Amino acid sequence: MTWLITHKPAYLSDFMDLPRDLRNHVTAALRELERDPLTLRGDTIKKLRGYENVYRYRLGDFRLIYAVAARAQVLNLLAIGPRGNIYRRFNYSGWDVPGAAATFDPELAQLQEWEEHPEWFGGVLLPRPLSPELLARWRVPAEHHAALMACRTEEELLGATDRGVPTDVVERVMNGLFPPAAAQLAAQPDLALFDPEDLVRYAEGTLAGFLLRLDESQKPLQHWALRGPTLVKGGPGSGKSTVALYRVRAVVEHHQQTTGRLPTVLFTTYTNSLTHASESLLRQLLTGLVPLAHDGKLPKEIRVSTLHKTAAWIANTGGTVTVATPADQQEALRVARSAFGRALFGEAERARVGALTADLRDDYLLEEFEWAIEGQDCRDEAAYLAADRAGRGIPFGRERRAAVWQLYEVYRDYLRDRGLCAWGQLTQLAIDRVRSGAFTRRWDYVIVDEAQDLRPAALALAVELCREPGGVFLTADANQSLYHRGFRWNRIHAALQVVGRTRMLTRNYRSTRQIAVAAAEILSGPDADEEAVRQEYIHSGPRPVVYAAPNTTAMWRWIFERIVGAARELRLPANAAAVLVPSHDVGELVAGALRDHRLPAQFMNSQTFDPDAPGVKVTTLHAAKGLEFPIVVVAHVEAGRLPRETPATGPDEVAAFLEEQRRLLYVGCTRAMRRLYVTFDQAMPSPFVTGLGEERWEWWRTADGRQTAADGQPPTTAPRPY
């Protein structure tokens, strides 16, 4: 029997600090432990005093500390390091629990006192003065009281051995002043380790990261309704993407057991920044189940990509397809509009089309073409007349739709005659090649993560690419829809008939309760999925902070101070922080400002994003979708930037646009795991922040205790008109 090995994120840091020659010894030890972690073996494996289920493994002068959950057959790696340091981090003598042994149980971890005072770990001063009564309670001999009570800082306490205080006494006091590391570790998530050698690969930079261990509510979903189609819904941090990855492992195992062969699997993510990480995690997850290529890549039977790239690949199998640039599309629309201004059509038709489309902006029409026509795979006027335009803002009657369709036909033909293809048309071309038999490849299973951002045509392509509709598995959260205005659950249900095969994940593993509840306040409107924001939380922390900066310079200084302070409080490096901004140009400015403050930072877009890069990550809100960071600053939440300016033509259109931009802010805030900060220039606050209440958000005050706003209240300056 082989035990499942899991590990805490803190263990990775410990492992990275090990000497290189010791890492392989750790791998050998783990292979021994995954067979039997419970049997005590001389001086090699012993129980850690003070705990019922915590053990130490001796590796020379180093100690590996792990916990076991015997019923679940799980071995949890907690810490590894030099003997002297590792024992100081754990309450190994049981001084705080005399006569009893504690059980290390992450599932039952509660908010600890240290979490309310993170400065204890990174600060200089001792958290409380040492008194004779306190030292007596910790069984410190009276002859050492004076030397210890003279200590005011952690450094002085650690140096008390130079004044004759025995090492074991100092360690006893340290354990009393600072909670044992086990309490801190219990609040961290459990990461799965399917191959002990993956730790070495991670240290060498050939493995991007590790999968979360599935909890008891998630575990059944990996094998649930294997002949779907199936849909898993859930809010941010609920583990939807993790379940989707485990689903790949489940279908591989199932298919091999039932057919004796490796299945073909198409796994899709929405953004390019997630494909590399997903592929790396799948290599880890499928170790021992599938034969990896000589370069360590997944076999050709398993493809990881976006549906956009998959559509482009399929379309290009019939010959090279040139994708139209935005300038090409603008020119095609100009030609279409001018065609109805010249004598190319009958007088009545020209007048009708002109009158019905004159008030529609070019950008709105191009979006109508992409989303409402191509996105819903409308091939003729009748299909467009019947298409769902929910969320488009401007209601279209039958006559206006007919006029828009005529414009679209000229636009489409102009691009086609020049050998060009819009992105939406690319998906249609891929669908045509699949349905006609020109593209014959199919996958046994198609797994789609973040399905809420799929257009109906892309969803249709995903279904067509699966040998049977029952092999389709989707995850989605309507509240995180950034690209598909008017997303409706019934579109997925109608396409795949997943009624009765839909499940909801409710536990948030990413964010603290305070961050998640505050972020939910941002959402509003009829499209909000209230079910997805009703979550259970396992982490707690301070309220998110909002700062109305008097100017840009003050804002950037504040961002620097918050990142440095939070990193110290959480005992994390600065590269654990991310600054999310509305646009590329703003991101470059913020990254430069942080570097001016001597804080390493770089701006990265979705194509260049590297989660392991040193320094603070500065990226756009769109590029951050699907990612998470312990510390997040959402900067420049200002009118004209978020929401960005738009020359709206009517109240319905404005409302739809604002809801899309509001969801963008919500997605950015829900990237935060432990600390969230939101800031803006008080001269032009976004309407999304002026209404944030002090019950869930802490409005930053100056040193004299006053609000940054002149009137003593959160700023309510009206945004600039659109």
Side-chain angles (χ1 to χ4, degrees):
M1 178 181 63
T2 300
W3 287 56
L4 172 65
I5 300 179
T6 64
H7 61 281
K8 300 293 186 180
Y11 179 86
L12 290 177
S13 300
D14 288 350
F15 189 84
M16 297 286 284
D17 288 336
L18 294 178
R20 288 180 177 271
D21 58 350
L22 185 61
R23 293 173 183 171
N24 290 329
H25 292 291
V26 175
T27 299
L30 294 181
R31 294 203 180 281
E32 176 187 350
L33 290 174
E34 69 180 349
R35 294 190 297 270
D36 180 11
L38 294 173
T39 302
L40 306 182
R41 298 191 269 287
D43 195 41
T44 303
I45 299 178
K46 290 185 175 181
K47 271 193 173 183
L48 200 65
R49 289 177 294 182
Y51 296 92
E52 291 182 344
N53 64 330
V54 179
Y55 296 74
R56 70 96 166 125
Y57 188 104
R58 181 183 180 191
L59 290 155
D61 292 332
F62 288 76
R63 299 293 184 268
L64 167 63
I65 309 298
Y66 64 93
V68 295
R71 182 175 297 180
Q73 298 294 303
V74 175
L75 183 161
N76 192 201
L77 305 177
L78 306 180
I80 188 169
R83 176 175 62 89
N85 293 338
I86 212 73
Y87 283 150
R88 195 181 73 183
R89 291 162 58 184
F90 282 78
N91 188 17
Y92 71 97
S93 298
W95 291 106
D96 293 330
V97 283
T103 299
F104 184 90
D105 188 354
E107 296 293 330
L108 300 178
Q110 302 294 320
L111 179 65
Q112 304 290 328
E113 188 180 8
W114 67 269
E115 290 182 287
E116 301 174 358
H117 301 278
E119 69 276 6
W120 293 0
F121 289 94
V124 176
L125 295 176
L126 296 179
R128 46 182 166 167
L130 295 173
S131 65
E133 295 78 11
L134 191 61
L135 294 172
R137 181 163 27 117
W138 291 337
R139 303 172 190 167
V140 174
E143 64 260 34
H144 303 307
H145 285 194
L148 292 170
M149 288 188 297
C151 299
R152 295 292 181 266
T153 68
E154 182 180 357
E155 292 79 2
E156 291 174 352
L157 179 57
L158 292 173
T161 53
D162 297 334
R163 299 188 297 277
V165 182
T167 300
D168 65 324
V169 172
V170 172
E171 292 179 351
R172 199 179 311 165
V173 176
M174 289 291 295
N175 282 333
L177 286 173
F178 302 97
Q184 180 183 7
L185 290 169
Q188 293 186 347
D190 291 329
L191 305 174
L193 183 68
F194 294 95
D195 186 349
E197 291 185 1
D198 281 342
L199 289 169
V200 177
R201 298 188 184 104
Y202 180 83
E204 294 174 346
T206 58
L207 186 68
F210 295 89
L211 279 152
L212 289 168
R213 174 196 171 195
L214 296 179
D215 68 17
E216 294 307 311
S217 66
Q218 297 168 333
K219 197 178 297 180
L221 298 182
Q222 62 181 324
H223 299 284
W224 163 64
L226 287 175
R227 302 312 305 172
T230 49
L231 169 66
V232 172
K233 302 165 58 178
S238 58
K240 300 184 300 298
S241 297
T242 300
V243 170
L245 290 166
Y246 274 93
R247 182 74 169 193
V248 178
R249 180 182 175 94
V251 298
V252 168
E253 290 178 324
H254 172 76
H255 204 84
Q256 288 181 325
Q257 292 171 1
T258 55
T259 69
R261 67 173 181 87
L262 181 66
T264 55
V265 182
L266 174 62
F267 182 93
T268 73
T269 61
Y270 192 81
T271 61
N272 293 317
S273 59
L274 293 176
T275 55
H276 175 71
S278 298
E279 187 166 2
S280 178
L281 292 172
L282 280 176
R283 287 200 300 271
Q284 175 201 148
L285 189 61
L286 298 176
T287 297
L289 288 179
V290 303
L292 299 180
H294 66 278
D295 55 358
K297 293 185 177 180
L298 293 169
K300 65 180 186 315
E301 288 86 356
I302 299 175
R303 177 182 176 87
V304 181
S305 184
T306 66
L307 269 173
H308 274 167
K309 282 189 173 181
T310 301
W313 170 55
I314 294 171
N316 278 283
T317 57
T320 303
V321 176
T322 302
V323 178
T325 66
D328 293 329
Q329 292 176 280
Q330 285 283 354
E331 176 63 16
L333 179 57
R334 187 194 65 78
V335 170
R337 282 190 183 274
S338 64
F340 286 92
R342 300 193 305 267
L344 300 180
F345 297 90
E347 185 66 31
E349 190 174 14
R350 288 163 51 199
R352 180 178 60 82
V353 172
L356 290 169
T357 62
D359 65 326
L360 301 177
R361 305 185 320 273
D362 286 358
D363 62 336
Y364 185 90
L365 275 172
L366 289 173
E367 195 174 68
E368 182 77 9
F369 295 167
E370 182 178 1
W371 292 98
I373 296 178
E374 296 162 354
Q376 299 191 76
D377 197 22
C378 298
R379 304 302 182 99
D380 52 39
E381 183 179 341
Y384 178 50
L385 292 175
D388 181 3
R389 295 186 65 259
R392 292 293 295 137
I394 302 175
F396 279 14
R398 185 179 182 86
E399 284 190 326
R400 183 178 289 220
R401 288 204 194 199
V404 170
W405 178 261
Q406 287 187 277
L407 279 181
Y408 175 73
E409 286 187 313
V410 179
Y411 162 88
R412 178 196 60 198
D413 294 344
Y414 177 89
L415 292 177
R416 183 182 298 164
D417 292 344
R418 284 152 184 79
L420 301 174
C421 182
W423 268 109
Q425 296 167 350
L426 198 67
T427 302
Q428 291 180 308
L429 181 57
I431 291 174
D432 290 343
R433 291 191 58 77
V434 172
R435 289 175 177 171
S436 68
F439 183 85
T440 59
R441 184 169 181 180
R442 298 292 188 278
W443 283 266
D444 296 313
Y445 303 93
V446 174
I447 296 173
V448 182
D449 196 21
E450 305 286 4
Q452 73 273 357
D453 285 320
L454 288 181
R455 304 166 197 175
L459 180 61
L461 177 62
V463 175
E464 291 286 347
L465 291 174
C466 199
R467 296 187 190 279
E468 299 178 8
V472 178
F473 179 90
L474 306 101
T475 72
D477 177 9
N479 292 331
Q480 296 188 69
S481 176
L482 299 185
Y483 305 97
H484 194 179
R485 296 185 191 176
F487 171 84
R488 296 289 187 273
W489 285 116
N490 60 11
R491 291 176 176 170
I492 287 180
H493 287 272
L496 290 171
Q497 300 296 313
V498 292
V499 176
R501 290 186 298 276
T502 300
R503 296 291 185 271
M504 172 67 74
L505 295 174
T506 59
R507 178 175 276 191
N508 188 319
Y509 284 94
R510 175 186 299 152
S511 305
T512 64
R513 175 180 59 82
Q514 289 79 4
I515 290 173
V517 171
E521 187 180 349
I522 296 170
L523 294 176
S524 68
D527 292 340
D529 187 351
E530 296 183 0
E531 187 181 16
V533 299
R534 292 195 297 268
Q535 295 183 303
E536 304 170 16
Y537 308 100
I538 64 172
H539 302 298
S540 187
R543 287 177 297 164
V545 181
V546 186
Y547 176 47
N551 52 62
T552 299
T553 301
M555 182 195 303
W556 292 345
R557 176 71 186 180
W558 187 81
I559 293 172
F560 163 76
E561 292 173 346
R562 301 288 74 72
I563 290 175
V564 172
R568 287 174 177 170
E569 289 176 359
L570 297 170
R571 306 182 83 183
L572 292 171
N575 66 356
V579 182
L580 311 183
V581 294
S583 63
H584 289 225
D585 56 342
V586 173
E588 294 283 8
L589 291 173
V590 171
L594 293 178
R595 291 194 295 270
D596 291 342
H597 284 90
R598 299 186 178 182
L599 183 63
Q602 57 178 310
F603 175 77
M604 294 177 283
N605 57 34
S606 60
Q607 303 292 331
T608 62
F609 193 89
D610 180 5
D612 299 318
V616 177
K617 283 78 173 170
V618 184
T619 191
T620 65
L621 289 159
H622 281 98
K625 185 176 174 64
L627 304 175
E628 60 184 29
F629 311 91
I631 305 163
V632 168
V633 180
V634 184
H636 287 287
V637 187
E638 294 141 2
R641 289 182 168 137
L642 188 71
R644 59 181 173 82
E645 293 187 4
T646 176
T649 60
D652 291 337
E653 185 185 11
V654 171
F657 174 79
L658 290 179
E659 284 307 307
E660 178 186 288
Q661 293 282 286
R662 188 182 294 276
R663 287 195 299 273
L664 181 59
L665 176 59
Y666 170 75
V667 168
C669 290
T670 56
R671 302 308 91 194
M673 301 169 69
R674 297 296 177 267
R675 297 290 187 273
L676 171 62
Y677 307 95
V678 176
T679 182
F680 58 94
D681 188 323
Q682 66 178 5
M684 48 182 186
S686 166
F688 301 156
V689 296
T690 55
L692 298 179
E694 294 201 32
E695 180 181 354
R696 297 182 176 89
W697 296 83
E698 177 185 346
W699 283 84
W700 182 261
R701 292 172 167 83
T702 57
D704 59 6
R706 296 181 298 178
Q707 294 266 355
T708 56
D711 61 1
Q713 299 296 323
T716 57
T717 305
R720 292 182 295 186
Y722 296 106

